[in-house]
Amino acid sequence: EYEKELSKGVSLDSEDIMDVVFPSSKHRKLMLLHELELISQYKEERFAVCEMRSSMVQYIKGMYGGAKLKNEICTKTTIAEIKDLLEV
């Protein structure tokens, strides 16, 4: 699901060349969810979410409203709750 969106990428001829260096908020959220789902394939969901909390905070660092989002992410325990929170 997220791979389709992530695989679109940015062509080097595009005006959006800055997305290569500085991924958009949407792209970072998609990468976060993709990594979370990959980890949940090998670990129980609640452990995957708990383990990913520090990484999730790094994905949203610098985003507009990131401080509030960080606090809310750290209270979630399921992938569905995180998807709803990120509104991707």
Side-chain angles (χ1 to χ4, degrees), residues 32-46:
L32 182 158
L33 290 171
H34 181 68
E35 183 178 347
L36 183 56
E37 288 189 347
L38 287 175
I39 290 174
S40 70
Q41 291 175 2
Y42 299 99
K43 297 186 177 197
E44 196 175 315
E45 182 179 25
R46 64 188 178 104

Side-chain angles (χ1 to χ4, degrees), residues 40 43-53 76-79:
S40 70
K43 297 186 177 197
E44 196 175 315
E45 182 179 25
R46 64 188 178 104
F47 292 120
V49 169
C50 187
E51 185 176 297
M52 273 289 294
R53 283 187 182 146
K76 304 304 178 195
T77 57
T78 66
I79 294 173

Side-chain angles (χ1 to χ4, degrees), residues 17-32:
I17 192 70
M18 292 306 290
D19 283 344
V20 174
V21 180
F22 302 106
S24 67
S25 294
K26 180 181 178 184
H27 195 80
R28 288 193 279 170
K29 289 176 183 179
L30 289 169
M31 289 187 295
L32 182 158

